[in-house]
Amino acid sequence: MIGLVVDLFAGGGGASEGLAQALGRDPDIAINHDPEALAMHKVNHPGTRHMLNDITRVLPLEATGGQSVAILHASPDCTHFSKAKGAKPRSQFIRDLAWVVVGWAEATHPMLITLENVEEFLTWGPLDKDGFPIKEHAGDTFRAWVKRLKRLGYNVSWRLLRACDYGAPTTRRRLFVVARRDGHSPVWPKPTHGAPDSPAVIAGRIKPWHTAA
């Protein structure tokens, strides 16, 4: 594979570990504003170049040195989308961090872009003066975000996937967005695990869910 692998919003290195297992090498660049998170990332991925900075202040072409980007992964802050936030006001600035992905797409034209977030990311829209989502405009900003990527030539697709269906001991469901610029449609992995009493598990086609116990 020719080109850099970049992990935006890199935390302790979980997403980068997935990339490393899939590609056989660590990401080339990881960016995060939190020194503790980036310190953990360095332990997990010592071969990666780590950039401690506010993602909105990073210039893509400067960060990459003008080299081509093959894969761009992003896990923007999800706290101001998640229903776990409850009845508290949201931050428009935090919600808008996902626009950084479009900026990188415009500047570096990655062949593949992946994004992971909570399922409420699909309802991304404007906030009212008190910081609460405007129900009538739920999803408006998400659709505009997707449209921008499509204008850049990306084939964009998304799905809600449960971690337990792929071997992790948790039922957490997350949104995954995949955008390809190579003329092909995204290909989604088939579940490898299922309910112990499901026909597929009984027939031995997939494995039973792992439990935390």
Side-chain angles (χ1 to χ4, degrees), residues 12 30 38 56 59 63 70 77 81 86 89 104 107 133 145-146 149 171 205-206:
L38 214 57
T56 63
L59 299 177
D77 190 308
F81 289 105
W104 272 75
W145 182 83
V146 170
L149 288 175
T171 58
R205 293 194 298 272
I206 60 176

Side-chain angles (χ1 to χ4, degrees), residues 50-211:
H50 296 87
M51 299 182 64
L52 179 63
N53 206 338
D54 178 342
I55 192 65
T56 63
R57 296 178 178 273
V58 176
L59 299 177
L61 292 180
E62 184 176 289
T64 61
Q67 296 183 70
S68 63
V69 175
I71 298 176
L72 179 72
H73 175 75
S75 299
D77 190 308
C78 65
T79 56
H80 288 262
F81 289 105
S82 176
K83 54 178 174 283
K85 185 76 173 174
K88 297 179 182 178
R90 271 63 171 171
S91 164
Q92 189 68 61
F93 173 76
I94 298 297
R95 287 160 69 91
D96 282 348
L97 286 174
W99 283 111
V100 168
V101 176
V102 174
W104 272 75
E106 292 174 338
T108 65
H109 311 292
M111 293 305 296
L112 173 67
I113 298 174
T114 58
L115 177 141
E116 174 264 342
N117 214 291
V118 293
E119 56 187 296
E120 292 85 8
F121 187 77
L122 292 170
T123 68
W124 180 18
L127 303 177
D128 62 21
K129 60 182 179 62
D130 297 316
F132 294 98
I134 302 173
K135 292 183 180 180
E136 310 88 83
H137 295 288
D140 283 2
T141 309
F142 174 75
R143 287 186 286 272
W145 182 83
V146 170
K147 191 174 183 179
R148 286 279 295 275
L149 288 175
K150 288 183 175 180
R151 284 179 179 174
L152 293 171
Y154 287 93
N155 190 330
V156 186
S157 182
W158 58 89
R159 285 191 183 181
L160 294 172
L161 303 178
R162 293 188 306 173
C164 60
D165 294 334
Y166 298 91
T170 172
T171 58
R172 175 178 290 180
R173 188 167 70 164
R174 303 287 276 190
L175 170 71
F176 292 87
V177 180
V178 177
R180 296 180 62 163
R181 200 176 60 85
D182 58 359
H184 297 285
S185 299
V187 178
W188 295 94
K190 295 180 180 179
T192 57
H193 295 68
D197 59 352
S198 67
V201 170
I202 293 174
R205 293 194 298 272
I206 60 176
K207 299 178 182 178
W209 288 329
H210 286 308
T211 63

